[in-house]
Amino acid sequence: MLKVGVWGPGSMGVIALRGVIDHPELQLTDLVVHSDAKAGRDAGELCGIAPVGVVATQDPTQLLAGDADAVVYAAGANLRPLEAVEDMVSILRAGKNVVSCSVVPLVFPDAVDGAFTDPLRQAALDGGVSFFTSGIDSGFANDVLPLLLTGVSRVIESVRVTEMFNYATYPDRAAVYEILGFGKPPDYQAFAAQPGIFTFGWGPVLHQLAAGLGVKIDNIEETNERVAATESFDTPTGHIEAGTIAAMRSTLTGYVGDKPTFVVDHVTRMRDDIAGDWPQPHISLVPKDLGFGPASGRGAYRVEIEGSPTMRCEFEMAEDHDHDLGARIAGSSRIVNAIPAVCAAAPGLLCALDLPLITGAGLVRSVEGPSPDSRLLGRRP
């Protein structure tokens, strides 16, 4: 039984928290929170189940001094990546393995600036532990799944991964309306739309794809497009006024020599019929109307491999008819399920290429109880 602490039970971390509590091979020992509203509350209460005897604290001292084997670090880091790195360095120095989804470029540390990776690498070596970042939009669906599919190739000419998601139900309003800039006028300088931001966040995914196939990327080309709504509409998280941004598409193309070989295409909408000429899922587990008409949302990942044979795979997740919640459960569950392999690995910074196949070993059972973050979403009692 591995002892595990959780740091940051937000939109991803609360799902990971529930995953640690439910996992038969893991024991929750500590919970660190940032908000006053969560401090002093039992971990079980925070994720919608009976108390488990672990009380949330804003002071990480007990976690760092305790006997946890690993820590799930899921604190928000979109606007504070260096601060998040400092947090994780302190955990590694304390001799605890770290699995995370916070600083997304770290899915492939070899492609990240040393200002981020050098302190983590040294702390991991000093602590004799390992560090691993994963997720859905920046890991697994965009790199592990495509690489798995290439295992049946005879010849590979190009690999393209398209993420198509409706963010109408995403619970982090700051990310949706401030960082991505939805509901803002076209001249609003959204953080995510600034040149180079997408390359910083998702460029390492291209490099990991290339490394997994034994080649190197020589150049990355970035494009960004935004589309305004032609009419006003409501979503589960807010209002989109006519003339404000309602869809964004960011594309990275990785060149091997002068050939466009790897592509990550990120298509984000606030309503399914916005930017209808952009890629759309062909299938959907989500009903067309959940009370907000077409704003309820569809989402999927599409992998297209040109070569011999040519392949196309569409991958969708949903929980309680919500594709966004399904994707967050998948991303959070992957880092929880990776804990045993990360703890067993040699000290240092890891990527998916360094780990064995991560499975749901020990998780075969019936689904019981509410969705892990249903209380945060306010959708069910």
Side-chain angles (χ1 to χ4, degrees), residues 58-133:
Q58 293 172 301
D59 183 359
T61 302
Q62 179 177 325
L63 180 149
L64 297 175
D67 60 354
D69 300 292
V71 173
V72 177
Y73 185 89
N78 286 329
L79 299 179
R80 51 179 293 277
L82 288 174
E83 291 88 341
V85 167
E86 290 178 3
D87 289 342
M88 294 186 286
V89 163
S90 69
I91 300 169
L92 293 167
R93 282 181 178 157
K96 302 170 196 321
N97 297 277
V98 173
V99 296
S100 182
C101 58
S102 295
V103 184
V104 295
L106 293 172
V107 294
F108 191 61
D110 287 353
V112 180
D113 187 275
F116 294 90
T117 57
D118 289 349
L120 288 167
R121 181 175 289 107
Q122 189 60 55
L125 294 176
D126 291 345
V129 290
S130 295
F131 171 89
F132 173 66
T133 285

Side-chain angles (χ1 to χ4, degrees), residues 357-372:
L357 178 66
I358 303 301
T359 72
L363 304 180
V364 178
R365 61 179 184 269
S366 298
V367 176
E368 298 177 356
S371 299

